[in-house]
Amino acid sequence: MRSFVLAAPIAALALLAVAPSAFAADRADLHRGEQLVERYCAGCHAVRQSGASPNAAAPPFRDLHTRYQIDDLAEGLAEGLLTGHPAMPEFEFSPSDVQAIIAYLKSIQTHQDAALPRASGR
């Protein structure tokens, strides 16, 4: 019993030691994702939580959840996004860039619950 009493605070301290680095990594992904969509996508799409898309036909990224499950975009980002119109170039991103873009897209969705991973069985 005594070892359990000592183990719980030690485990809590270990989690606290790891948590800041995980938080920093998440923030780094968000920042990198924001930079990537700003560089490659902002010419046509609104890539922030507000503002209009420069191209009226290009949906704002904050509303992508109305068209897609955000997690489902990862494969297209890695293998090359193709659309039904020729004006959009094809993009292929590295796995770490895809992770950063998906994290950023999730962070700006107008309905955060829509940005959550899909439940199994759907």
Side-chain angles (χ1 to χ4, degrees):
M1 177 71 140
R2 184 173 180 96
S3 63
F4 176 75
V5 172
L6 292 175
I10 291 170
L13 287 174
L15 284 174
L16 288 175
V18 172
S21 62
F23 180 71
D26 289 342
R27 292 195 47 86
D29 270 355
L30 288 175
H31 181 67
R32 192 166 88 254
E34 180 179 21
Q35 289 177 322
L36 288 164
V37 299
E38 182 69 37
R39 179 176 180 189
Y40 293 106
C41 311
C44 294
H45 296 271
V47 297
R48 304 230 186 274
Q49 289 181 316
S50 63
S53 293
N55 178 339
F61 278 6
R62 66 183 167 274
D63 295 330
L64 286 178
H65 69 276
T66 64
R67 297 172 182 235
Y68 310 100
Q69 284 287 331
I70 301 302
D71 285 323
D72 290 350
L73 297 172
E75 184 177 350
L77 289 167
E79 295 179 3
L81 284 175
L82 295 174
T83 63
H85 63 88
M88 184 171 160
E90 182 177 343
F91 295 105
E92 291 182 39
F93 295 98
S94 71
S96 64
D97 286 348
V98 169
Q99 177 182 338
I101 292 169
I102 294 296
Y104 178 71
L105 291 176
K106 285 180 175 183
S107 77
I108 63 167
Q109 295 309 292
T110 54
H111 298 289
Q112 291 299 316
D113 58 337
L116 297 175
R118 210 177 348 189
S120 62
R122 262 194 183 174

